[in-house]
């Protein structure tokens, strides 16, 4: 090398940014060697340029070693690789030591040991299916999102070195790319054929679209009950159902179906209960209170009540409301909803030529916004305090109990039976405050003097956003107990939030625009491909007749498509399309998909499906509570499958599952009565997490892992 570092530094141009001395310290850590591909520094170069020429940044170092940047960071920390942080805060590796390290196969393999492996790459290299990989990961005691190379090399017939593994992975990727390129060849010509095929498929689906204009329409009458919460809509509709003596009450939630079931039987009107997980027949009953998906339109009876009509527009479940409204053959129908649903219901009724009458209801107790915000200490009795996360609700419960208040809680993942007990205690005055998510806005007869918003933003599954005016009206409308409150009050616990709620409440919510429809097995049989592809095509084609496209759209198929992708074409063929579609309609969420998949494979193999995982007993903290809720969610899947004729033979232990679910629900209710510390804790260090913290580890542990 023509010049040593010291000689170049002495003759270098003065630094313009005043960091010359700091960069000199960094240069002293670099050594004389220039990194591959960099020009040798010249005397006129700045000290910073000399440092950059004699060292690798993280991305460059990772490329040289053949790993990713996160692995290099981890290796620098764990293996004490020569590295330093430059004056700009960037981690760098001296070329003097990194180049020989990268050339040594043993050292390179040590660094690669920290490389995180993707399950999809492992499936490809091992040529196995998802279930086999999950079983292997469980048996090895590994977490799917935290697998690193050193834990797996040499196992499951994997190579002994990461370099060989990477070569295999590359070969698989090239094979896949070649397949993709082959499929792309001639793509333009196929594109035109595809568009033509899509037109033909869409037309076939439109031809198969249900005909809602039936001969019996002139014998029907639809009563549209429109009004705010607490305006007597449901009471009037139930009087009509009692007088009709046969028919259905259709609810969005098991909890509300239970409530009407109890109410009618308590009034001396025999009523059955039918939900996705349970059937309670009552002798002599010709009326059924049901969750709306269970409605049998072929046996509508004399009167049908469809509650919470705003759910027509729900992306996931709205199809059930559309089906009930448009396919019911009952002579008398009552549909109940807020003012935002009026126009949509009337347009749908006109499309099906159903004679209808509008019945407008006024609130039984007026509502006003408070002049001044509340504090947690000043909340009056009979207040619903609204937060928007399960953990936020539990944290507020602890804070209020420490202030000496008695508290009920209501949130979405709480089992319906527990929600009912918690709500009953509040309604009967046993507890002063009910802390609830927006689950309180629908399906609970839970009037209160005050509805107080603890926060005005919510996470909707994709983004944090401000509440919509319709949500403020639906939730805030719970304020005011008829005959007990002169005026229902809406408030907040923060001064600024009160102005936000005032503006949202005074804003008229927009009208609902679209009702939803979902595919039948007959619809899907008209489409090519796997079940997941059929569901995707059905959603994309939007095969709605021209006359209805302004008010009807397709349901969200994402969860069903996710489940369908977990089944092979052979699985679908063995089940049959109708049973497979029924299977992917099960009430799952991301956390319970693995249990659902175990159930699906046992059904395919003709065995009994596994019982739900045991819940911890007793419930001592927030972790135990979450685990018990998970067990109940799995039990709901088991019981839902047991209620389907296609899968009933695989669910002979449904009695045991039902009893365990009942015991777990009781244990949750009992735990909520105690002043337990329900705060979440960091999975890594055990520190208590903030109430609005969205992740499962604390910020300190995240930064330690990240850097």
């Amino acid at each position: 090398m023509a010049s040593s570092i010291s000689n170049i530094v002495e003759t270098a141009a003065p630094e313009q940014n005043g960091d010359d001395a700091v960069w000199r310290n960094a240069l002293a850590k670099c050594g004389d060697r220039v990194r591959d591909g960099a020009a040798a520094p010249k005397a006129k170069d700045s000290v910073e340029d000399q440092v950059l020429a004699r060292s690798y940044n993280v991305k460059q170092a990772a490329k040289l070693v053949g790993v990713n940047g996160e692995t290099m960071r981890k290796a620098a920390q764990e293996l004490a690789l020569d590295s330093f942080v430059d004056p700009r805060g960037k981690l760098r590796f001296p070329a003097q030591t990194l180049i020989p390290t990268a050339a040594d196969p043993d050292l390179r393999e040590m660094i690669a040991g920290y490389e995180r492996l993707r399950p999809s790459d492992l499936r490809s290299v091992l040529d196995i299916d998802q279930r086999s990989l999950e079983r292997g990961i469980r048996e090895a005691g590994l977490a799917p999102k935290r697998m690193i190379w050193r834990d797996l090399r040499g196992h499951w017939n994997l190579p002994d070195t990461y370099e060989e593994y990477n070569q295999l992975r590359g070969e698989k990727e090239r094979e896949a790319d070649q397949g993709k390129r082959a499929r792309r060849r001639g793509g333009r010509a196929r594109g035109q054929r595809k568009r033509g095929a899509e037109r033909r498929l869409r037309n076939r689906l439109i031809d198969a679209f249900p005909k809602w204009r039936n001969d019996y329409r002139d014998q029907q009458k639809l009563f549209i009950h429109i009004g705010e919460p607490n305006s007597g809509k449901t009471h009037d509709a139930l009087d009509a159902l009692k007088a009709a003596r046969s028919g259905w009450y259709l609810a969005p939630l098991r909890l509300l179906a239970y409530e009407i079931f109890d109410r009618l039987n308590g009034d001396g009107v025999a009523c059955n209960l039918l939900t996705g997980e349970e059937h309670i027949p009552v002798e002599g009953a010709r009326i059924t209170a049901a969750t709306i998906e269970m409605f049998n339109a072929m046996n509508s009876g004399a009167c049908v009540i469809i509650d919470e009509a705003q759910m027509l527009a729900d992306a996931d479940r709205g199809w059930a409301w559309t089906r009930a409204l448009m396919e019911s053959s009952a002579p008398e129908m009552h549909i109940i909803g807020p003012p935002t649903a009026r126009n949509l219901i009337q347009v749908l009724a006109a499309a099906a030529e159903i004679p209808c009458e509008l019945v407008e209801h006024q609130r039984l107790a007026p509502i006003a916004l408070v002049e001044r915000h509340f504090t947690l200490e000043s909340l009056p009795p009979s207040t619903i305090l609204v937060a928007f996360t399960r953990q936020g609700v539990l944290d507020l419960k602890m804070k209020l109990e420490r202030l000496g208040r008695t508290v009920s809680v209501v949130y979405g993942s709480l089992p319906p039976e527990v929600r009912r007990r918690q709500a009953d205690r509040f309604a009967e005055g046993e507890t002063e405050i009910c802390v609830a998510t927006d689950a309180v806005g629908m399906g609970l007869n839970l009037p209160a003097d005050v509805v107080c918003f603890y926060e005005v933003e919510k996470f909707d599954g994709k983004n944090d956003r401000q509440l919509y005016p319709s949500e403020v009206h639906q939730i805030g409308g719970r304020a005011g107990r008829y005959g007990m409150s002169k005026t229902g009050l809406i408030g907040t616990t923060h001064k600024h939030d009160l102005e936000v709620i005032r503006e949202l409440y005074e804003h008229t919510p927009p009208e609902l625009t679209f009702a939803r429809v979902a595919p039948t097995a007959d619809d899907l049989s008209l489409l090519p491909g796997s079940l997941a592809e059929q569901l995707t095509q059905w959603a994309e084609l939007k095969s709605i007749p021209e006359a209805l496209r302004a008010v009807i759209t397709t349901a969200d198929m994402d969860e069903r498509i996710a489940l369908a992708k977990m089944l092979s074409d052979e699985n679908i063929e063995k089940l049959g399309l109708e049973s497979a579609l029924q299977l992917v309609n099960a009430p799952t969420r991301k956390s319970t998909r693995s249990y659902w998949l175990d159930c699906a494979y046992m059904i395919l193999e003709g065995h009994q499906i596994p019982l739900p995982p045991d819940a911890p007993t007793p419930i001592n903290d927030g972790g135990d509570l979450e685990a018990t809720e998970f067990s109940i969610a799995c039990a709901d899947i088991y019981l839902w499958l047991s209620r389907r004729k296609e899968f009933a033979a695989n669910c002979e232990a449904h009695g045991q599952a039902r009893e365990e679910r009942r015991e777990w629900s009781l244990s949750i209710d009992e735990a909520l009565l105690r002043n337990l510390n329900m705060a979440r804790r960091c999975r890594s260090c055990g520190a208590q997490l903030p109430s609005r913290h969205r992740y499962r580890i604390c910020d300190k542990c995240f930064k330690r892992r990240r850097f």
Side-chain angles (χ1 to χ4, degrees):
M1 196 171 290
S3 303
S4 68
I5 293 176
S6 57
N7 290 335
I8 292 178
V9 169
E10 288 171 3
T11 57
E15 291 292 297
Q16 299 300 314
N17 57 13
D19 291 336
D20 185 50
V22 185
W23 280 104
R24 286 175 186 276
N25 290 336
L27 184 61
K29 301 174 183 177
C30 289
D32 288 337
R33 190 160 184 172
V34 177
R35 63 179 168 81
D36 294 342
K42 299 178 182 178
K44 63 180 182 179
D45 290 342
S46 67
V47 182
E48 178 182 351
D49 288 338
Q50 296 168 38
V51 171
L52 300 183
R54 288 185 167 84
S55 62
Y56 290 81
N57 63 25
V58 172
K59 185 176 180 179
Q60 294 164 340
K63 184 176 180 181
L64 181 66
V65 178
V67 295
N68 66 41
E70 188 62 33
T71 301
M72 284 304 301
R73 292 180 185 277
K74 189 72 173 176
Q77 180 182 4
E78 299 290 333
L79 299 177
L81 295 180
D82 281 349
S83 61
F84 62 91
V85 177
D86 70 21
R88 297 188 186 279
K90 304 293 185 182
L91 181 66
R92 305 194 68 84
F93 298 84
Q96 184 86 16
T97 54
L98 185 64
I99 292 174
T101 297
D104 186 317
D106 292 334
L107 294 177
R108 203 164 56 241
E109 179 64 15
M110 286 179 66
I111 295 172
Y114 296 97
E115 184 81 352
R116 185 168 291 182
L117 305 184
R118 294 187 302 179
S120 58
D121 290 340
L122 277 171
R123 287 202 308 271
S124 175
V125 169
L126 295 171
D127 196 21
I128 59 175
D129 59 26
Q130 180 175 336
R131 188 184 181 210
S132 300
L133 179 63
E134 287 180 351
R135 186 189 301 118
I137 290 171
R138 285 197 301 269
E139 290 173 354
L142 301 172
K145 294 183 180 179
R146 298 177 62 187
M147 294 183 295
I148 58 175
W149 171 244
R150 69 179 183 184
D151 292 336
L152 290 181
R153 62 181 161 213
H155 297 291
W156 304 343
N157 296 320
L158 287 171
D160 291 324
T161 69
Y162 182 72
E163 191 168 346
E164 293 173 293
Y165 170 81
N166 226 5
Q167 288 174 352
L168 277 175
R169 184 174 63 84
E171 290 171 8
K172 294 288 186 181
E173 286 181 354
R174 284 191 292 276
E175 289 174 8
D177 287 342
Q178 288 170 0
K180 289 178 182 177
R181 284 195 295 272
R183 288 190 294 272
R184 282 198 297 266
R185 283 193 293 269
R188 291 179 182 175
R190 286 198 304 272
Q192 189 171 359
R193 293 196 298 272
K194 180 182 177 183
R195 287 189 290 274
E198 286 179 350
R199 278 195 302 272
R200 290 190 292 274
L201 288 172
R202 184 178 291 110
N203 290 336
R204 289 165 65 184
L205 287 168
I206 289 174
D207 289 341
F209 198 85
K211 304 298 186 288
W212 288 328
R213 296 182 177 182
N214 297 307
D215 295 338
Y216 54 76
R217 289 306 190 196
D218 59 353
Q219 304 298 318
Q220 286 187 298
K221 185 67 172 291
L222 172 64
F223 295 89
I224 306 173
H225 296 267
I226 295 297
E228 299 288 348
N230 289 338
S231 58
K233 305 183 299 294
T234 305
H235 179 273
D236 289 357
L238 285 174
D239 282 346
L241 179 59
K242 293 175 185 178
R245 307 174 76 94
S246 72
W248 297 72
Y249 168 83
L250 304 176
L253 302 171
R254 282 180 285 167
L255 188 63
L256 190 48
Y258 271 112
E259 184 175 311
I260 301 303
F261 166 75
D262 284 344
R263 180 171 168 179
L264 290 179
N265 283 299
D267 290 344
V269 179
C271 178
N272 304 311
L273 177 72
L274 181 62
T275 72
E277 297 77 20
E278 188 170 15
H279 178 212
I280 302 178
V282 173
E283 186 176 354
R286 299 178 61 206
I287 293 174
T288 299
T291 45
I292 196 164
E293 287 86 350
M294 303 305 295
F295 176 52
N296 180 0
M298 301 298 292
N299 183 23
S300 297
C303 180
V304 169
I305 296 175
I306 303 170
D307 208 349
E308 305 291 355
Q310 71 274 15
M311 290 293 289
L312 280 162
D314 184 77
D316 183 41
R317 299 177 63 208
W319 62 269
W321 275 258
T322 304
R323 185 194 64 171
L325 173 60
M326 306 301 267
E327 297 183 11
S328 169
S329 59
E332 185 176 344
M333 292 190 291
H334 295 259
I335 187 165
I336 302 167
T340 56
R342 176 197 294 115
N343 185 60
L344 181 57
I345 298 168
Q346 289 176 325
V347 172
L348 291 172
E353 297 183 343
I354 307 172
C356 60
E357 178 182 324
L358 183 65
V359 183
E360 297 194 78
H361 297 256
Q362 302 301 318
R363 278 191 58 89
L364 301 176
I367 281 186
L369 272 78
V370 297
E371 294 297 324
R372 189 175 183 281
H373 69 282
F374 294 105
T375 64
L376 292 183
E377 292 82 0
S378 67
L379 287 174
S382 191
T383 291
I384 297 174
L385 180 61
V386 183
F388 292 102
T389 65
R390 168 190 176 279
Q391 193 56 47
V393 167
L394 294 174
D395 287 346
L396 284 170
K397 175 181 184 292
M398 289 190 297
K399 289 177 181 177
L400 288 164
E401 286 175 340
R402 288 171 186 152
L403 294 172
R405 311 302 293 270
T406 53
V407 182
S408 290
V409 296
V410 172
Y411 53 88
S413 58
L414 204 60
E417 303 88 337
V418 181
R419 269 187 274 175
R420 179 72 181 276
R421 294 189 190 96
Q422 292 286 315
D424 286 348
R425 291 191 186 99
F426 175 73
E428 292 165 9
E430 293 180 30
T431 55
E432 299 172 275
I433 311 293
C434 179
V435 187
T437 63
D438 45 357
V440 77
M442 181 175 62
L444 271 178
N445 181 22
L446 195 64
D449 292 337
V450 179
V451 169
C452 183
F453 289 86
Y454 181 72
E455 49 195 348
V456 295
E457 291 186 347
K458 64 181 286 188
F459 182 67
D460 61 9
K462 294 181 181 178
N463 301 296
D464 285 308
R465 62 164 175 82
Q466 186 172 277
L467 296 177
Y468 296 140
S470 58
E471 292 169 325
V472 174
H473 278 256
Q474 184 72 17
I475 298 167
R478 292 292 173 187
R481 297 179 295 168
Y482 178 59
M484 302 181 71
S485 306
K486 291 183 179 179
T487 301
L489 296 177
I490 299 176
T492 66
T493 55
H494 298 87
K495 182 179 180 180
H496 171 72
D497 289 351
L498 184 58
E499 295 309 310
V500 174
I501 291 295
R502 188 184 307 280
E503 182 179 343
L504 291 171
Y505 190 75
E506 291 173 354
H507 190 282
T508 302
E511 292 275 353
L512 303 180
T513 52
F514 288 101
R516 302 280 180 161
V517 291
T520 65
D522 288 340
D523 293 331
L524 297 181
S525 68
L526 300 174
L527 300 171
S530 66
L531 177 57
E533 290 167 342
Q534 290 171 320
L535 289 166
T536 302
Q537 285 182 81
W538 181 87
E540 291 174 347
L541 287 169
K542 297 188 182 297
S543 305
I544 312 297
E546 181 70 32
L548 293 171
R549 286 179 191 168
V551 291
I552 297 280
T553 191
T554 53
D556 186 342
M557 295 285 106
D558 288 353
E559 182 66 15
R560 277 166 272 202
I561 291 170
L563 297 181
K565 284 180 177 178
M566 299 168 78
L567 301 173
S568 68
D569 290 347
E570 292 77 15
N571 296 153
I572 304 300
E573 185 177 355
K574 187 173 182 179
L575 285 166
L577 181 58
E578 191 165 346
S579 293
L581 181 59
Q582 186 77 284
L583 187 60
V584 301
N585 281 332
T588 60
R589 51 194 188 220
K590 282 186 179 180
S591 63
T592 57
R593 285 179 189 170
S594 179
Y595 173 75
W596 173 90
L597 186 60
D598 288 341
C599 294
Y601 276 112
M602 290 299 100
I603 289 170
L604 284 161
E605 294 167 11
H607 300 317
Q608 294 295 303
I609 67 173
L611 283 164
D614 288 336
T617 51
I619 296 173
N620 293 315
D621 55 31
D624 289 345
L625 177 63
E626 191 171 2
T628 305
E629 290 170 356
F630 171 77
S631 295
I632 290 174
C634 292
D636 286 341
I637 293 174
Y638 187 106
L639 295 172
W640 189 91
L641 291 170
S642 74
R643 293 283 306 143
R644 271 65 199 167
K645 63 180 185 300
E646 301 94 330
F647 315 124
N650 304 97
C651 309
E652 293 178 358
H654 60 87
Q656 180 181 345
R658 193 179 307 282
E659 180 58 26
E660 288 179 343
R661 187 190 182 287
R662 188 187 70 82
E663 292 176 358
W664 296 335
S665 295
L666 289 172
S667 70
I668 288 179
D669 189 54
E670 190 274 332
L672 292 173
L673 288 174
R674 290 182 278 135
N675 296 342
L676 291 180
N677 187 341
M678 296 296 187
R680 290 186 307 158
R681 297 193 172 276
C682 171
R683 288 192 169 186
S684 181
C685 70
Q688 183 170 319
L689 296 172
S691 60
R692 300 189 188 188
H693 193 75
R694 193 179 301 159
Y695 306 101
R696 296 188 175 186
I697 61 172
C698 66
D699 289 339
K700 286 185 178 179
C701 289
F702 173 77
K703 290 176 182 177
R704 186 164 59 249
R705 290 184 183 183
R706 179 74 178 80
F707 300 110

